[in-house]
Each structure stands twice: as structure tokens, then as C-alpha cells.
């Protein structure tokens, strides 16, 4: 009995020791007044705002919504994303602030450069999905040596990429897609960021120049995980031969012509997007650990190699739609056991549909607008996951399979344009 009681007292005192139930404020007066005047300078709609509108001067500011302090009461994070903030913004004076998230607001006007020039401890600045516009001044002096993440995606920023982004010694993540930045950028400019993890310059008005030599400084970035350069008017595929860590490579909508260099198949072991280029020649077998492969909208003019399906053993999504593919669909496609999305539409594929029902995870199968002939395999009705099917505009014939749970749900839009096909849902009887 007494053992139990003393254990209980011990536990209670431990609990009190670890979680002091005190009401004294952790937030310093200067932090509180900085935040309060920052808030007063902001315009926000109290309707969508569920953080700023609840700030209360009689509470500890470390407890305010969106505010995070460390143990010592230093204000380290301010997350006012998606809080209905409109118009311009001037930085709060917060020496210890490491993370500032203002994404998904309606910030407009010029780039708020004080966020970079007056926060000496800043490590992450998120301003994505706002309406910031105009050019960014070239010679901004970034106050923090430790800025490691900068995300300005999806604004309306214009003009050349500002100089300062090439001078961020600690940068790991740099995302600038979906703006109107102009001019040309040489990837080697990022070559000195030895720890760079993610770079995204997609969908601007930039011309990105790649050094194709494997000795280029960009090609030696060993930690690069994600590289997105979609719609960057690139003429040459950058040399990424040594980038063993690269998991996402998006080079879609560029101006690559001719054949894909062979080394590209040893990188990009997660997502490989080479869609919307003018790639020609052999359709290369993807690297074995790839999960998503998009080769659509190219001009290969060749056929899918016979063993192609064996290389898709971990692939979840494969598209080579609208890419001038000829020949037949190789039977090896049945070995792509994890395949969920397969799009071979709008090519010149001929011969039978070789699927034998082994692709048991298939959710979407688009074979429309080709020259496929023969019957629709009965085995497709055994694929319980199949939610979308399109075999329209081919040369298929015979009775449409009627079994399984999925086939009866497909409309005639899945089968139209095949003169020889008959049976429901088509009106032609067999
Ligand atoms: C601020 O907090 C105090 C103490 O918790 C409370 O009495 C007061 O009503 C609050 N003010 C507003 C505007 O919410
Ligand atoms: C920058 O980061 C280093 C290493 O984490 C740290 O020692 C230093 O205090 C940081 N500088 C500032 C201004 O926060
Ligand atoms: C880029 O500029 C063009 C032409 O001024 C404009 O139509 C387009 O909406 C702009 N795009 C963005 C993302 O600001
Ligand atoms: C894209 O940049 C070029 C010059 O590099 C310019 O002439 C053109 O107007 C820009 N387009 C848009 C939409 O801003
Ligand atoms: C199948 O593709 C054809 C041709 O692109 C299209 O007209 C039809 O609507 C598609 N069917 C379905 C079910 O999406």
C-alpha cells in the first residue's frame, strides 16, 4: 500500500517537473509588440482568417495561432498560410524567426524584400500561391546566412532571376515555378550549392541552358533529389549521369530533339517525365526502380521493345500517348504487376491487345486511337480495379465481354469507332 502511494507521489512530481503548470508568459514584450504591429499593418479578411483574427493581447503570444516559440521563448515560426491576407507586407522585427509561411494568401504588389533583408535567422520562406508581381530587385542583401528553403511558386513575378538566388550558401530547396521570370539561366550557376536537394524553375518564361559535359558543376550535385525544369525552352538534356540520388526528373515541355542519351536511364528512379518534347528514335527501357514514366507527346517513330514490360515491374503509371509509336504492344506488359495507369492512346499500334489479366492493379487503360485488331480479351473482366477503359477508334472486332463487375459500367464511349465490335453497350447486335 505505502509502496503504491509513494510511487504515485513520485509520478505526480515527475509529471509536474516535466510539465510546469505555470501561467507566466514565455513571449517577450518586444516579440509581442513586433507581432502586434505586424498584424496591424496587414490587411486581412476576418472571415477567412482563423489565425490572425484570434490574436489577443492579453494572451502569451507564444500561444497565438500560427506562432511557435522554442523552450526559451524565442519566437521561431510564424505560419500564417491560408489566412486571407491581402495586399502588401512588411517584415516583422523578429531576430529569432526561422520559418515564415505566408503561402496561399492574396499578397500582391512588389516582392516583399524586407522579409529577406531583416530576418537574420530565417531558414525557410514560403510565399507560394500569392499574387506578388513585378521584377525582384537584383541586389537584395539576404540577412540570413542560413536560408535553406525559398518557395515563391505560383505568383506573378517578372523580370530576370534576381542575383541573390545564386548567393544563398545554405540553400537546399529553391522553388520558383509558375511565375513570369524571363531571360536565360545556366544551370551551372547552381553548381556551387553542394547540398541542393530540390530545384524547380518550371513554367516561367526562362531559357534554361544545360551543360552537357559530365564534368559540369551542376552535374556533380550529389544530393539532388528533385529537378523540375518543365517548359524551360531547353534544347539539350543536362548531364545528370552522376546524380545517383535523383528521384524526380521533370523535363517535360522542352525542345529536346533526337534520341535520349542512354545514361538518363540510370537516374530518375522515382518519377521520369520527358513528355512534350520532340524525342525521336528508340524508346528506351526505363530504369528498374522507376515508378512514374511519362513519355507522352513525343515523336519516337519506333516500336516498344519486346522486353519493355519487364522493366516496368515497379511502375505504377506509364504513358506514351501521342508519340508516333508503331509496332505491337509487347506481351511483356503483363509483367508490370503494379501498373495502375496505362496510356498508349493516339499512336499507330497494331496487332492484338495482349493483356491476359495479370495486371491486377490496373485502374485506367487507354488504348484509344490506334490500329489494334482482334477481340477484347475476356481476361480484362477479371481486373476488379479497372475504373476507366478506352479502346475506341481501333480495328477491334467480336463481342464486347459482358462479365465481371466493371465491364457493365463502361459506356459506349469506351468502345465507339470499332466497326467490328458488337454487343452492349453498343447498339449493334452480334
Ligand atoms: C482575450 O483574452 C481574454 C483572457 O482570456 C478574454 O477575457 C478576452 O475576452 C479576449 N478578447 C478577445 C477579443 O477575444
Ligand atoms: C545558422 O546555423 C548554424 C548551424 O545550425 C547555427 O550555429 C547558427 O547560429 C545559425 N545562425 C543564425 C543567425 O541563426
Ligand atoms: C505572364 O505574362 C503574360 C503576358 O503579360 C500574362 O498573360 C500571364 O498571365 C503571365 N503569367 C503569370 C503566371 O503571371
Ligand atoms: C518572354 O520573354 C521574351 C523575351 O525573352 C519576351 O519577348 C516575351 O514577351 C515574354 N513573354 C511573356 C509571356 O512574358
Ligand atoms: C475515348 O477516346 C475517344 C477518342 O479520343 C474519345 O472520343 C472518347 O470520349 C473516349 N472515351 C472515354 C470513355 O473517355
Amino acid at each position: 500500500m505505502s509502496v503504491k502511494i509513494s510511487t504515485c507521489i513520485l509520478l505526480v512530481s515527475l509529471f509536474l517537473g516535466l510539465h510546469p503548470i505555470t501561467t507566466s508568459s514565455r513571449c517577450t514584450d518586444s516579440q509581442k509588440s513586433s507581432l502586434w504591429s505586424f498584424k496591424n499593418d496587414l490587411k486581412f479578411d476576418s472571415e477567412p482568417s482563423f489565425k490572425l483574427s484570434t490574436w489577443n493581447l492579453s494572451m502569451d503570444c507564444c500561444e497565438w495561432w500560427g506562432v511557435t516559440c522554442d523552450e526559451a521563448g524565442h519566437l521561431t515560426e510564424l505560419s500564417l498560410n491560408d489566412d486571407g491576407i491581402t495586399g502588401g507586407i512588411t517584415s516583422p522585427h523578429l531576430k529569432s524567426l526561422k520559418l515564415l509561411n505566408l503561402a496561399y494568401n492574396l499578397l500582391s504588389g512588389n516582392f516583399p524584400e524586407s522579409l529577406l533583408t531583416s530576418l537574420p535567422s530565417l531558414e525557410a520562406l514560403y510565399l507560394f500561391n500569392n499574387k506578388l508581381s513585378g521584377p525582384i530587385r537584383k541586389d537584395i542583401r539576404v540577412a540570413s546566412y542560413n536560408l535553406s528553403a525559398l518557395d515563391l511558386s505560383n505568383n506573378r513575378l517578372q523580370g530576370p532571376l534576381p542575383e541573390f538566388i545564386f548567393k544563398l550558401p545554405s540553400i537546399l530547396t529553391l522553388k520558383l515555378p509558375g511565375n513570369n521570370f524571363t531571360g536565360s539561366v545556366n544551370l551551372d550557376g547552381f553548381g556551387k550549392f553542394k547540398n541542393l536537394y530540390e530545384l524547380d524553375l518550371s513554367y516561367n518564361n526562362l531559357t534554361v541552358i544545360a551543360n552537357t559535359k559530365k564534368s559540369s558543376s551542376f552535374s556533380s550535385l550529389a544530393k539532388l533529389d528533385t529537378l523540375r525544369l518543365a517548359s524551360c525552352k531547353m534544347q539539350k538534356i543536362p548531364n545528370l549521369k552522376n546524380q545517383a540520388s535523383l528521384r524526380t526528373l521533370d523535363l517535360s515541355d522542352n525542345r529536346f530533339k533526337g534520341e535520349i542519351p542512354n545514361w538518363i536511364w540510370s537516374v530518375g528512379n522515382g518519377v521520369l517525365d520527358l513528355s512534350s518534347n520532340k524525342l525521336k528514335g528508340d524508346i528506351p527501357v526505363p530504369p528498374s526502380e522507376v515508378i512514374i514514366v511519362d513519355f507522352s507527346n513525343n515523336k519516337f517513330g519506333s516500336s516498344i521493345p519486346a522486353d519493355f514490360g519487364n522493366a516496368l515491374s515497379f511502375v505504377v503509371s506509364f504513358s506514351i500517348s501521342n508519340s508516333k509509336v508503331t509496332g505491337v504492344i509487347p506481351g511483356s506488359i503483363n509483367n508490370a504487376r503494379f501498373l495502375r495507369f496505362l496510356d498508349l492512346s493516339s499512336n499507330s499500334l497494331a496487332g492484338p491487345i495482349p493483356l491476359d489479366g495479370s495486371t491486377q492493379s490496373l485502374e485506367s487503360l487507354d488504348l484509344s486511337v490506334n490500329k489494334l485488331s482482334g477481340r477484347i480479351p475476356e481476361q480484362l473482366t477479371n481486373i476488379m480495379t479497372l475504373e476507366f477503359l478506352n479502346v475506341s477508334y481501333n480495328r477491334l472486332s467480336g463481342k464486347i465481354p459482358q462479365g465481371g463487375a466493371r465491364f457493365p459500367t463502361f459506356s459506349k464511349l469506351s468502345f465507339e469507332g470499332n466497326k467490328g465490335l458488337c454487343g452492349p453497350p453498343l447498339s449493334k447486335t452480334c
Side-chain angles (χ1 to χ4, degrees):
M1 192 68 176
S2 66
V3 174
K4 268 190 188 162
I5 290 170
S6 54
T7 311
C8 185
I9 289 167
L10 182 69
L11 284 176
V12 166
S13 52
L14 264 180
F15 176 81
L16 290 176
L18 289 172
H19 304 273
I21 306 175
T22 58
T23 48
S24 76
S25 176
R26 287 190 295 153
C27 184
T28 60
D29 287 346
S30 77
Q31 291 185 139
K32 190 180 228 175
S33 67
S34 283
L35 275 182
W36 195 254
S37 63
F38 174 67
K39 178 194 149 164
N40 286 339
D41 287 346
L42 286 179
K43 289 197 273 303
F44 60 93
D45 294 331
S46 53
E47 267 302 287
S49 160
F50 57 94
K51 292 178 188 160
L52 280 171
S53 63
T54 63
W55 285 11
N56 181 337
L57 269 182
S58 51
M59 284 168 63
D60 178 354
C61 77
C62 290
E63 307 295 324
W64 290 355
W65 276 100
V67 176
T68 305
C69 299
D70 64 12
E71 300 269 303
H74 299 126
L75 204 160
T76 52
E77 296 185 13
L78 185 54
S79 291
L80 297 173
N81 49 308
D82 206 358
D83 212 36
I85 305 170
T86 62
I89 195 162
T90 310
S91 177
H93 294 289
L94 295 166
K95 280 208 177 68
S96 53
L97 194 67
K98 291 184 177 175
L99 180 147
L100 178 57
N101 186 352
L102 295 165
Y104 287 104
N105 281 294
L106 298 162
L107 294 173
S108 59
N110 286 342
F111 179 75
E113 53 182 82
S114 62
L115 301 180
L116 287 174
T117 57
S118 56
L119 296 169
S121 305
L122 198 64
E123 291 173 8
L125 177 61
Y126 302 125
L127 292 171
F128 54 93
N129 293 68
N130 278 287
K131 294 179 170 177
L132 298 168
S133 59
I136 301 182
R137 203 159 55 85
K138 222 164 85 176
D139 49 351
I140 290 179
R141 272 186 69 93
V142 178
S144 170
Y145 180 86
N146 285 350
L147 190 68
S148 62
L150 178 65
D151 191 341
L152 309 179
S153 312
N154 304 322
N155 278 283
R156 295 167 181 177
L157 297 163
Q158 300 168 4
L161 286 184
E163 278 300 309
F164 81 83
I165 66 158
F166 298 101
K167 296 179 188 161
L168 301 170
S170 308
I171 200 76
L172 303 179
T173 295
L174 182 61
K175 294 167 81 174
L176 308 170
N179 282 288
N180 252 339
F181 288 118
T182 49
S184 57
V185 192
N186 192 318
L187 283 182
D188 281 347
F190 301 98
K192 57 180 169 295
F193 299 147
K194 293 300 171 217
N195 294 319
L196 194 65
Y197 181 82
E198 177 167 13
L199 177 66
D200 190 347
L201 303 176
S202 304
Y203 306 110
N204 278 288
N205 188 10
L206 290 168
T207 304
V208 170
I209 296 161
N211 189 334
T212 54
K213 294 199 192 84
K214 76 166 185 242
S215 57
S216 78
S217 61
F218 189 78
S219 73
S220 62
L221 295 178
K223 302 203 174 144
L224 200 62
D225 173 274
T226 300
L227 179 62
R228 293 185 188 275
L229 299 170
S231 209
C232 285
K233 298 185 228 175
M234 297 181 79
Q235 314 257 5
K236 294 195 172 135
I237 299 185
N239 193 317
L240 305 168
K241 197 171 185 169
N242 300 323
Q243 258 119 355
S245 316
L246 199 61
R247 286 191 306 161
T248 297
L249 178 60
D250 183 353
L251 297 174
S252 61
D253 193 21
N254 277 292
R255 297 174 178 174
F256 307 131
K257 283 187 202 137
E259 301 214 13
I260 303 175
N262 269 329
W263 55 258
I264 212 159
W265 314 114
S266 57
V267 295
N269 61 6
V271 179
L272 185 57
D273 187 347
L274 292 173
S275 63
S276 302
N277 281 289
K278 289 176 181 164
L279 296 169
K280 252 190 219 160
D282 290 350
I283 299 166
V285 176
S288 63
E289 281 149 35
V290 79
I291 293 165
I292 296 175
V293 183
D294 192 347
F295 291 168
S296 62
N297 301 312
N298 278 293
K299 298 182 185 248
F300 289 109
S302 58
S303 51
I304 303 175
D307 58 352
F308 195 84
N310 303 339
L312 301 184
S313 46
F314 295 107
V315 169
V316 168
S317 174
F318 175 61
S319 173
I320 194 165
S321 153
N322 193 31
S323 289
K324 301 203 188 309
V325 183
T326 57
V328 301
I329 302 174
S332 63
I333 199 79
N334 288 305
N335 297 332
R337 297 293 163 96
F338 295 107
L339 204 58
R340 284 160 58 187
F341 305 92
L342 178 61
D343 188 351
L344 308 178
S345 64
S346 301
N347 284 297
S348 300
L349 291 162
I353 298 174
L355 291 163
D356 64 7
S358 311
T359 50
Q360 281 290 322
S361 308
L362 205 58
E363 289 170 26
S364 172
L365 175 62
D366 196 341
L367 304 176
S368 62
V369 197
N370 276 291
K371 297 171 182 168
L372 299 167
S373 57
R375 302 173 72 96
I376 299 174
E378 281 294 330
Q379 295 98 314
L380 286 183
T381 63
N382 299 332
I383 304 176
M384 294 308 164
T385 47
L386 197 63
E387 279 173 14
F388 177 87
L389 174 74
N390 198 346
V391 295
S392 294
Y393 301 99
N394 276 290
R395 295 169 184 174
L396 298 166
S397 57
K399 187 165 194 269
I400 294 171
Q402 304 292 323
R406 296 295 180 180
F407 262 67
T409 68
F410 300 138
S411 79
K412 64 175 190 247
L413 291 179
S414 293
F415 306 101
E416 65 190 344
N418 287 284
K419 284 202 187 98
L421 275 185
C422 60
L426 297 177
S427 46
K428 186 177 170 191
T429 51
C430 296

